[in-house]
Amino acid sequence: MDDTTGFDLTTIEDLSVDELAISQRIASELAIRLSQMQAVLSLSAEGCTIPFISRYRKERTENLDEVQVRDCIQKFQSYKNLEERRLEVLKGISALGKLDAFLYENIVRATTLAELEDLWAPFKKKKKTRGMIAQEKGLSPLAELMARAFLEEVIAAAPSFIHRDEEHPELSVESVEDALSGARDILAERLSQDTSMRAYIKDVLLKDGELAVKGIGDEEKREQSTYQMYWDYREPLTTLKHHRVLAVNRGEREGELDVSIEVSDELVEERLLERVCPANAQHKEAVIDGLFRLLLPAVRREIRSDLTESAESHAIEVFSTNLRNLLMQPPLRGTRVLGIDPGIRTGTKCAALDETGKFLDYFVINQETKPEQGKKDVAAAVIKHRLSVIAVGNGTGSHEVQRLVAESISENKLVCRFAVVDEDGASVYSASDLAREEFPALDLTIRGAISIGRRLQDPLSELVKIDPKSIGVGLYQHDVNQKKLANQLDEVVGSVVNQVGVNLNTASYSLLRYVSGINASLARKIVKFRNASGVIRNRSLLKEIPGLGEKTFEQCAGFLKIPESDNELDNTWVHPENYTLALEILPIVKSGGEPQAEKRATLKQKYEVGDITLNDIISELRKPNRDPREDLPPPLMQENVLSFEDLRPGLKVKGKVKNVVDFGAFVDI
């Protein structure tokens, strides 16, 4: 390519995406080394998952964590998509014979897909723009002169461009004004294509512009509208909050609000003229026309798009954080539970579960019409099934059921506690194919009570059965990009499942499908194999499952735990590829020591590992299969605070943070 301008039409078709440059850019942004970035991309290309790379390939990535690995992969794909689109636009305009040095430079400088699409938009339209028509009339030289010469020179040159095209009359230039108007159209269009000017005007709007919202309809409609507070609303873009952007977007979609980005015309015109410094009155007229007809509308669209994208990303991030916290709640291991799904019209459903979550029995109580009988039934179930915890759903009628349960425990002197469990999504699960498959003979309301009880026993194992969007920890979740939301929530669930690990012999299909390397189809095959052959006794037997080859085994084996195995390493985070090394270290660790410097050096050389892998194995052998959820607070057991009337000055109560959003936190006490 030409070294001075970077523009050479003969080389356009030969251009390709520079992946090394993209990698260098991302490494700089993430403050990591290029070698780390390249290691992640190489491993990903080999079919390695993010959880596997971050846990078992630390030597190659030089100890990058899961967030860094994910950022490397996602940023690379995003930037690569941008560069591929840039090439498509360059080649597309070049093929039309419309690419010049000015346009080329602006396409190369574009930093977003929105900028590229605006540069490409005039060329994909069937209808030609005013600037294109003027260029076809041969007025580009006059436009060049208009942008740099005195007015007298421009006026003097204009008559020479008057001509009649008999074959194409629409390309004729009939008069001096026709010539000047066409030249102005060319300059106006160039202004809108100049990415530096676009960035400058965008900055002016972001600093001095406002979001202006007006209601659509009369005063009567206003009184009934959900969007009353936005009926006549203005706010500077500098202080605009994410949740407000999503709220007005929804109102606009529903036809109740008119939304725009407003700025003083005089201010933006003054700023642009200071920046451009027009050569003459004709040039000034072209600049002002380009500003208001082309540039401002494009910048307003881009700002609205940016605000929406930023607000959606923030909302998805809030949802993801809340979901992760919910899934990471510590389980109540070895606990027999009574799950209660409060109801009013059809009664309250109660389901007894053993330590493993196996369904034992169910009954129905009515807290409104037969509270005393309800207390007796609860007490009888607790005694009969040796239940130690009662899980009460927090839906309609929950307070009345909590009071009934508290009184039953007190009056019958039961050795039992109770906790309130968030039941969002329980009804979705109970009506699902998965629930019907698990409990084909039970009514869906009983399945809901089972789900509530199991949520207390092991929140992660139960909540993975439900679409994350139905769990109720989001903000404006229906107003964001649904594909992006689903993908990110799926990533969160997968991240948590692989961070905790799963019991191969008890994990449901829903849990297994999130394990590194395992998809939905393979998860079903694992369950089928387990049902047919009984308890899987060691990790190596995984290779006998149809469709589970060497690569998949490599990706999933370390995350699947087998407490029943004769090989104790099968119930640890040690990967099978390092079993020989681990077995050599195990006696030293069991004796309370650790390999000394000479032994470490020998092991590293013998097994071709580094200090990171060696230290991870030693740490795991000291505390095998440690559950990261153990570090978090256990579920809150209820006391006698059941309503606002039970609160009094000076009383201290514990609460569970259910949801954190921009404007506060929802705490259940």
Side-chain angles (χ1 to χ4, degrees):
M1 295 175 71
D2 188 282
D3 290 333
T4 55
T5 65
F7 174 65
D8 182 354
L9 278 173
T10 63
T11 65
I12 295 295
E13 283 303 316
D14 299 326
L15 292 177
S16 60
V17 173
D18 188 344
E19 295 189 358
L20 177 60
I22 295 174
S23 296
Q24 288 171 328
R25 175 185 173 186
I26 296 170
S28 174
E29 288 179 3
L30 298 179
I32 62 175
R33 288 181 288 281
L34 178 61
S35 59
Q36 292 174 290
M37 177 68 196
Q38 290 176 320
V40 170
L41 295 180
S42 175
L43 287 164
S44 180
E46 291 169 19
C48 297
T49 67
I50 292 171
F52 178 82
I53 294 170
S54 56
R55 184 177 284 275
Y56 294 115
R57 290 296 179 262
K58 294 178 182 178
E59 302 286 1
R60 284 182 64 178
T61 68
E62 300 170 67
N63 217 14
L64 293 182
D65 62 28
E66 184 181 357
V67 173
Q68 291 171 308
V69 171
R70 180 172 282 107
D71 282 347
C72 287
I73 294 171
Q74 290 183 344
K75 280 180 173 287
F76 181 80
Q77 193 55 56
S78 175
Y79 291 164
K80 186 179 177 183
N81 290 343
L82 178 67
E83 294 310 314
E84 287 175 345
R85 185 58 181 149
R86 191 189 313 279
L87 288 183
E88 288 171 1
V89 170
L90 278 172
K91 292 176 181 179
I93 298 176
S94 175
L96 294 171
K98 303 291 185 181
L99 188 64
D100 56 24
F102 175 82
L103 198 50
Y104 173 86
E105 292 297 337
N106 281 288
I107 292 171
V108 168
R109 285 203 303 260
T111 58
T112 66
L113 282 171
E115 287 181 26
L116 286 174
E117 295 308 324
D118 277 345
L119 289 169
W120 169 242
F123 301 96
K124 69 179 180 182
K125 294 176 182 176
K126 292 180 180 178
K127 186 178 178 181
K128 294 176 183 177
T129 64
R130 284 161 47 176
M132 286 180 185
I133 294 169
Q135 284 179 308
E136 291 181 4
K137 287 181 177 181
L139 294 171
S140 292
L142 182 60
E144 298 288 348
L145 185 68
M146 186 179 286
R148 58 179 169 76
F150 289 113
L151 181 62
E152 292 78 8
E153 294 179 61
V154 178
I155 299 299
S160 64
F161 289 91
I162 298 174
H163 69 277
R164 181 74 186 167
D165 191 322
E166 298 297 339
E167 189 174 348
H168 300 286
E170 71 277 6
L171 298 182
S172 300
V173 178
E174 305 286 355
S175 63
V176 167
E177 180 47 39
D178 194 8
L180 294 173
S181 174
R184 291 197 303 269
D185 286 341
I186 292 172
L187 293 180
E189 201 159 286
R190 282 194 181 175
L191 177 75
S192 71
Q193 294 170 345
D194 190 328
T195 52
S196 63
M197 290 300 175
R198 181 189 183 113
Y200 178 71
I201 293 301
K202 184 177 179 180
D203 189 56
V204 171
L205 261 68
L206 288 173
K207 287 179 179 176
D208 298 295
E210 291 182 320
L211 183 78
V213 187
K214 292 181 180 178
I216 299 173
D218 55 22
E219 194 62 32
E220 183 180 346
K221 186 171 182 180
R222 175 177 185 164
E223 292 300 319
Q224 300 171 351
S225 176
T226 309
Y227 305 98
Q228 282 185 44
M229 70 171 290
Y230 295 112
W231 211 254
D232 212 348
Y233 183 83
R234 302 180 75 87
E235 183 173 353
L237 297 181
T238 51
T239 63
L240 195 57
K241 298 292 187 291
H242 294 302
H243 63 275
R244 291 203 182 113
V245 173
L246 295 175
V248 300
N249 283 357
R250 182 194 290 177
E252 186 179 44
R253 278 196 308 274
E254 293 177 2
E256 292 207 29
L257 299 177
D258 181 61
V259 186
S260 61
I261 303 290
E262 293 191 0
V263 68
S264 162
D265 287 352
E266 292 78 11
L267 173 70
V268 74
E269 181 181 318
E270 180 185 335
R271 296 280 178 84
L272 184 63
L273 292 176
E274 286 174 0
R275 179 74 176 244
V276 175
C277 299
N280 52 67
Q282 288 287 325
H283 187 196
K284 179 180 179 182
E285 187 177 339
V287 168
I288 294 172
D289 174 50
L291 170 66
F292 291 107
R293 181 167 59 87
L294 301 171
L295 191 54
L296 264 181
V299 170
R300 284 187 168 111
R301 284 195 305 272
E302 185 175 345
I303 289 176
R304 284 292 307 275
S305 176
D306 288 351
L307 288 172
T308 298
E309 185 177 346
S310 177
E312 287 187 352
S313 295
H314 178 75
I316 291 171
E317 197 57 46
V318 168
F319 200 151
S320 299
T321 301
N322 289 334
L323 177 62
R324 180 179 292 276
N325 292 336
L326 184 65
L327 295 176
M328 286 295 287
Q329 290 179 109
L332 281 180
R333 299 191 188 283
T335 305
R336 289 183 159 234
V337 173
L338 181 67
I340 299 182
D341 184 4
I344 297 176
R345 188 174 56 83
T346 58
T348 290
K349 313 302 185 296
C350 308
L353 310 171
D354 74 3
E355 297 88 346
T356 65
K358 180 183 176 182
F359 172 67
L360 301 173
D361 191 11
Y362 79 91
F363 58 96
V364 180
I365 62 174
N366 195 309
Q367 66 272 19
E368 287 194 325
T369 60
K370 297 179 180 178
E372 294 304 318
Q373 184 60 47
K375 293 179 196 177
K376 290 177 184 177
D377 291 342
V378 168
V382 168
I383 295 167
K384 177 182 177 182
H385 298 293
R386 306 189 312 281
L387 307 175
S388 54
V389 177
I390 299 172
V392 182
N394 67 343
T396 305
S398 178
H399 286 293
E400 292 77 12
V401 174
Q402 289 175 53
R403 191 171 294 282
L404 182 150
V405 167
E407 290 173 358
S408 179
I409 291 172
S410 174
E411 292 171 10
N412 294 286
K413 297 182 171 54
L414 301 175
V415 184
C416 183
R417 300 170 296 167
F418 80 95
V420 177
V421 176
D422 196 328
E423 65 177 61
D424 281 332
S427 58
V428 174
Y429 160 75
S430 62
S432 68
D433 292 338
L434 184 61
R436 281 192 291 273
E437 191 178 312
E438 280 193 274
F439 305 106
L442 294 180
D443 181 78
L444 60 85
T445 55
I446 306 301
R447 295 176 199 150
I450 294 171
S451 179
I452 289 168
R454 285 179 170 180
R455 287 187 187 198
L456 195 61
Q457 290 179 311
D458 191 346
L460 177 59
S461 294
E462 194 60 25
L463 290 171
V464 292
K465 300 174 183 177
I466 302 164
D467 182 344
K469 290 184 286 187
S470 300
I471 295 176
V473 290
L475 170 71
Y476 289 99
Q477 65 194 62
H478 301 295
D479 298 299
V480 303
N481 183 306
Q482 293 300 294
K483 184 178 179 182
K484 187 176 177 182
L485 174 65
N487 288 343
Q488 191 153 330
L489 295 184
D490 218 44
E491 281 182 3
V492 170
V493 178
S495 170
V496 173
V497 168
N498 288 290
Q499 188 180 346
V500 171
V502 305
N503 184 325
L504 178 58
N505 285 311
T506 61
S508 65
Y509 148 77
S510 303
L511 201 56
L512 286 169
R513 69 191 177 97
Y514 284 106
V515 172
S516 167
I518 296 177
N519 57 25
S521 173
L522 188 52
R524 291 195 181 278
K525 289 179 182 178
I526 293 172
V527 173
K528 184 178 179 181
F529 178 84
R530 191 175 67 196
N531 292 341
S533 60
V535 174
I536 300 175
R537 289 289 174 184
N538 59 71
R539 280 171 169 166
S540 61
L541 288 174
L542 284 165
K543 296 178 183 178
E544 296 181 12
I545 297 170
L548 203 155
E550 286 292 335
K551 187 65 182 182
T552 304
F553 178 80
E554 174 196 64
Q555 298 299 303
C556 73
F559 302 95
L560 297 170
K561 313 298 177 60
I562 309 178
E564 301 86 357
S565 176
D566 297 331
N567 184 346
E568 61 186 289
L569 296 179
D570 280 348
N571 197 36
T572 70
W573 285 107
V574 178
H575 196 281
E577 66 188 7
N578 290 320
Y579 274 11
T580 311
L581 167 59
L583 288 171
E584 196 165 336
I585 300 171
L586 191 56
I588 302 172
V589 174
K590 281 190 171 182
S591 67
E594 68 173 76
Q596 297 305 304
E598 187 177 342
K599 180 67 173 176
R600 288 178 68 97
T602 303
L603 291 170
K604 286 160 61 178
Q605 183 176 7
K606 181 178 178 181
Y607 294 102
E608 297 181 345
V609 299
D611 284 316
I612 297 172
T613 300
L614 200 58
N615 291 336
D616 277 355
I617 292 173
I618 293 169
S619 175
E620 176 60 18
L621 294 178
R622 281 191 184 132
K623 291 185 176 180
N625 198 25
R626 186 171 177 277
D627 190 332
R629 295 174 293 177
E630 293 171 4
D631 297 332
L632 300 169
L636 281 178
M637 295 299 158
Q638 294 298 107
E639 298 174 14
N640 292 319
V641 178
L642 303 174
S643 66
F644 281 107
E645 288 71 28
D646 296 324
L647 297 173
R648 60 184 184 278
L651 176 67
K652 290 184 179 179
V653 295
K654 289 183 178 179
K656 179 174 72 174
V657 179
K658 179 186 173 185
N659 200 354
V660 179
V661 293
D662 292 352
F663 45 83
F666 294 86
V667 183
D668 187 353
I669 61 168

